[in-house]
Amino acid sequence: MRIAIDVMGGDEAPHATIVGAARAALDNPALELLLFGPFQRLHAELSRLPRPMAAATSRLVLCDAPDVIGQGATAAWALRHGKQTSMARMLQSLADGQAQAGVSAGNTAALVALSRQALGTVAGISRPAISTAIPARGDRRCYLLDLGANVDSPATRLVDFALMGAVMARHVDAVAMPRIALLNVGAEATKGSASVRQADTLLRAYPAEGAFTYQGYAEGGDLFSGKLDVVVCDGFVGNAVLKASEGLAGMLVERVQAAFDAHWSGRLASLLARPVLKRLKRELDPVRYNGASLLGLDGIVVKSHGGTGADGFHYAIKRAVQEVEQNLPGQLATQLMAHSATLN
Amino acid sequence: MRIAIDVMGGDEAPHATIVGAARAALDNPALELLLFGPFQRLHAELSRLPRPMAAATSRLVLCDAPDVIGQGATAAWALRHGKQTSMARMLQSLADGQAQAGVSAGNTAALVALSRQALGTVAGISRPAISTAIPARGDRRCYLLDLGANVDSPATRLVDFALMGAVMARHVDAVAMPRIALLNVGAEATKGSASVRQADTLLRAYPAEGAFTYQGYAEGGDLFSGKLDVVVCDGFVGNAVLKASEGLAGMLVERVQAAFDAHWSGRLASLLARPVLKRLKRELDPVRYNGASLLGLDGIVVKSHGGTGADGFHYAIKRAVQEVEQNLPGQLATQLMAHSATLN
């Protein structure tokens, strides 16, 4: 299997991305990774890899891309001037069939726009969405989408998101019958914006036999209940909810730590609380650790967190491998065709 | 000081609300509370108050209201058919000048609509907003608004929210120069919905000398940074963010608890972790414990959480007292007049 990597995206690139890629290659002997970035930077980073990782370099293929997309670049700029960037070339390699999936920790807006340009969307899907699984009660996970690929979404697009989320939960997490809900300000039918209410009507009428069960409206807190597998909202709301959750989880873990440090001697507190808190922190920062998927594309692209370290980038590559194994875009296309067959 | 109480709102009403009111009266000898609800229910609950609280009953004035607004009622229903309800009569007592502030743990949509009908808004403010202070790093607090009084908000309304939040932070929390930001999907000027970008332009041009400093865009995670005093967004987003934060905090505290229980013997875990976690839980559930304010009304109304217990309701009453002492609507009116004077 071949995965294409934009090594220049993210705050700690290219060091963290290349170390993460080398770890992924070591971890999975069937993996070949195409690394896109300026040749000299690639060579310099690779030569500095610690010895055990150097064993993986035979499966790291260097692919020159002279330019880099900055964090401040707009999607429009990327589409017009980004052709020579590591991100665009990485995506082009997917479009050309040289790799089965791509991973980047770079500028999200640019990644969405360039992915859509290079790969197109699955027939029937108008726009890609970004999704990640957030941890929920009872060791379950809940896919939240959209996380910011679109700033607002008409009802039909929210329905697309529901389908994409269902395919994700079913094929990546093996949830036989994903439970889907629409995020709203209350559970009552009279509440919410017009697009959410219209999407509710569409989803109630959707012939989802065997594909998912639509549970109606959810409120923000239901995300973590463990009773839903997919929660759908527009990208503005999803982005705000996800980032607030990340911020809150970070603050909470710090507070628990501080509270233990204050109540118990430093040494005892470390002994008691730190291992527990470290694991929690990891679990509660899903994007940083696991990456997010661009769904609806006719291809597989995983967005690793901009602040990711080598570990997080390694996970994002694993996620891409999983999506390739499950043929996620193919499953989505099949689902959509089954649906249009029902309608005709 | 007189505060009017809708004792019939909330999941545990009227027991929790009446116990909370009795505690507030005991706590503050200057307080007289008007309790609105069906006479028989009021009498029955009062007669069951434990002896120490019975001392407060002389300052609990029973006001009959035969009807109750259910959780499922719409704002339209409340406006048309709600006249005899405990909520509407409580608000009418404010409008008639019998009390200086009102508190309810009932249906939010009905409370917003009935409050607006009974009290009107401060001149210059088109719609009320709901706000609460959420805990942030460094023992600071950040006011988030709107939390759901409006499902979407044009740019001028977002600017109103900023002004209201500034008055709140300045007069209730004594922040000399509140730092205000607009919630968006990214910090870059090119991102976000049209109304948010337009509100950004308006706020940059706003003559806020001495009233607040506008800090531009914030992302969801910045809420908890301790670097902002007010974060403004539309009610759909604010509601989703607040409820997700409540849900996450609840799950987190449970997980920390479970992790300690698993690592250490039950007895030791209780001893070590429970007091710390209990405090955290309280701090992290601001609405349940402290109530939310309806801002922009020509009067003071505090919304206690629907799931509130007596403690939370007591806090909501204290919050109302604080807002009366600070003359919040008057401060907002002064701020708005100062602004229109600048423009003319």
Side-chain angles (χ1 to χ4, degrees), chain B:
Chain B
M1 190 185 301
R2 266 205 187 147
I3 309 281
I5 310 284
D6 165 19
V7 303
M8 299 308 290
D11 306 339
E12 294 176 43
H15 177 72
T17 50
I18 287 183
V19 172
R23 283 194 201 151
L26 271 184
D27 204 43
N28 181 350
L31 209 55
E32 191 169 271
L33 300 173
L34 310 184
L35 308 186
F36 289 84
F39 252 137
Q40 289 190 317
R41 301 288 297 274
L42 293 172
H43 276 294
E45 280 299 333
L46 278 176
S47 67
R48 261 181 267 150
L49 279 180
R51 188 175 297 270
M53 279 185 213
T57 51
S58 64
R59 285 180 286 115
L60 302 179
V61 182
L62 308 195
C63 308
D64 190 40
D67 295 349
V68 171
I69 288 184
Q71 266 310 309
T74 63
W77 184 92
L79 289 170
R80 246 180 316 224
H81 308 290
K83 288 266 179 294
Q84 312 301 321
T85 60
S86 54
M87 188 187 280
R89 291 216 170 156
M90 174 277 279
L91 292 165
Q92 194 52 48
S93 78
L94 302 192
D96 296 345
Q98 290 159 23
Q100 290 124 293
V103 180
S104 173
N107 182 317
T108 306
L111 186 64
V112 171
L114 290 173
S115 296
R116 200 176 158 207
Q117 185 186 48
L119 305 170
T121 52
V122 166
I125 297 288
S126 62
R127 305 255 313 167
I130 305 174
S131 181
T132 197
I134 60 171
R137 282 199 165 78
D139 274 323
R140 300 195 68 95
R141 293 147 37 101
C142 177
Y143 284 95
L144 180 64
L145 76 166
D146 175 31
L147 299 177
N150 313 275
V151 285
D152 58 286
S153 298
T156 51
R157 206 180 288 162
L158 293 172
V159 173
D160 286 351
F161 296 168
L163 300 183
M164 297 190 231
V167 167
M168 190 78 151
R170 178 197 273 263
H171 296 283
V172 176
D173 286 6
V175 176
M177 184 67 81
R179 296 158 300 175
I180 295 189
L182 271 174
L183 192 61
N184 201 349
V185 291
E188 297 83 14
T190 52
K191 288 186 173 174
S193 62
S195 60
V196 169
R197 278 181 286 137
Q198 202 188 330
D200 176 68
T201 306
L202 292 172
L203 282 167
R204 287 187 188 283
Y206 193 88
E209 309 86 10
F212 60 83
T213 59
Y214 175 61
Q215 312 269 313
Y217 294 137
E219 295 190 277
D222 298 328
L223 277 170
F224 305 98
S225 67
K227 292 177 185 160
L228 294 170
D229 303 299
V230 178
V231 170
V232 169
C233 58
D234 76 48
F236 195 107
V237 175
N239 189 281
V241 163
L242 182 77
K243 287 185 175 158
S245 299
E246 286 175 2
L248 174 60
M251 181 185 78
L252 259 166
V253 169
E254 272 175 29
R255 283 209 177 182
V256 174
Q257 186 70 61
F260 278 98
D261 287 351
H263 275 65
W264 308 94
S265 81
R267 183 99 193 93
L268 183 63
S270 311
L271 191 73
L272 293 175
R274 240 153 249 176
V276 171
L277 295 175
K278 204 173 162 188
R279 213 194 59 187
L280 265 175
K281 206 165 178 172
R282 181 185 203 99
E283 284 176 4
L284 291 165
D285 203 347
V287 177
R288 193 177 305 267
Y289 289 104
N290 304 325
S293 303
L294 267 63
L295 298 179
L297 294 169
D298 193 10
I300 294 169
V301 178
V302 171
K303 165 76 175 79
S304 184
H305 196 283
T308 196
D311 266 5
F313 203 73
H314 178 182
Y315 276 101
I317 296 171
K318 279 200 204 172
R319 165 138 219 121
V321 169
Q322 223 179 349
E323 293 186 16
V324 172
E325 285 168 351
Q326 297 298 329
N327 179 21
L328 221 56
Q331 298 290 357
L332 180 59
T334 307
Q335 170 70 41
L336 287 166
M337 274 194 290
H339 174 219
S340 51
T342 321
L343 293 184
N344 297 335

Side-chain angles (χ1 to χ4, degrees), chain A residues 119-342:
Chain A
L119 305 170
T121 52
V122 167
I125 297 288
S126 62
R127 305 254 317 167
I130 305 175
S131 181
T132 198
I134 60 170
R137 282 199 165 78
D139 273 324
R140 301 194 67 95
R141 291 147 40 100
C142 177
Y143 284 95
L144 179 65
L145 74 166
D146 175 29
L147 299 176
N150 313 276
V151 286
D152 58 286
S153 297
T156 51
R157 206 180 288 163
L158 293 173
V159 174
D160 286 351
F161 296 168
L163 300 183
M164 297 191 233
V167 167
M168 191 77 151
R170 179 198 272 262
H171 295 285
V172 176
D173 286 6
V175 176
M177 185 68 80
R179 296 158 301 175
I180 295 189
L182 270 174
L183 191 62
N184 201 350
V185 291
E188 296 84 14
T190 53
K191 288 186 174 174
S193 61
S195 60
V196 168
R197 278 182 286 134
Q198 202 187 329
D200 176 68
T201 307
L202 292 172
L203 281 167
R204 287 187 188 283
Y206 193 88
E209 307 89 7
F212 61 85
T213 59
Y214 175 61
Q215 311 269 313
Y217 295 137
E219 294 190 278
D222 298 328
L223 277 171
F224 305 99
S225 67
K227 292 175 185 160
L228 294 170
D229 303 299
V230 178
V231 170
V232 169
C233 58
D234 78 46
F236 195 107
V237 176
N239 190 281
V241 164
L242 182 77
K243 286 185 177 159
S245 299
E246 287 174 1
L248 174 59
M251 182 185 77
L252 258 166
V253 169
E254 273 174 30
R255 283 209 178 181
V256 174
Q257 185 69 60
F260 279 97
D261 288 350
H263 273 66
W264 307 94
S265 80
R267 184 100 192 92
L268 184 63
S270 311
L271 192 72
L272 294 174
R274 240 153 250 174
V276 171
L277 294 175
K278 203 173 162 188
R279 212 194 60 185
L280 266 175
K281 204 164 180 173
R282 182 187 201 97
E283 283 175 7
L284 291 165
D285 202 347
V287 177
R288 195 177 303 268
Y289 290 106
N290 303 326
S293 303
L294 267 64
L295 298 178
L297 293 169
D298 192 9
I300 295 169
V301 177
V302 171
K303 165 75 173 81
S304 184
H305 196 285
T308 195
D311 265 6
F313 203 73
H314 179 183
Y315 276 102
I317 296 172
K318 279 200 207 175
R319 165 139 218 121
V321 169
Q322 224 178 349
E323 293 187 15
V324 172
E325 284 167 352
Q326 297 298 329
N327 180 22
L328 221 56
Q331 298 289 358
L332 180 59
T334 306
Q335 171 70 38
L336 287 165
M337 274 194 291
H339 174 220
S340 52
T342 320

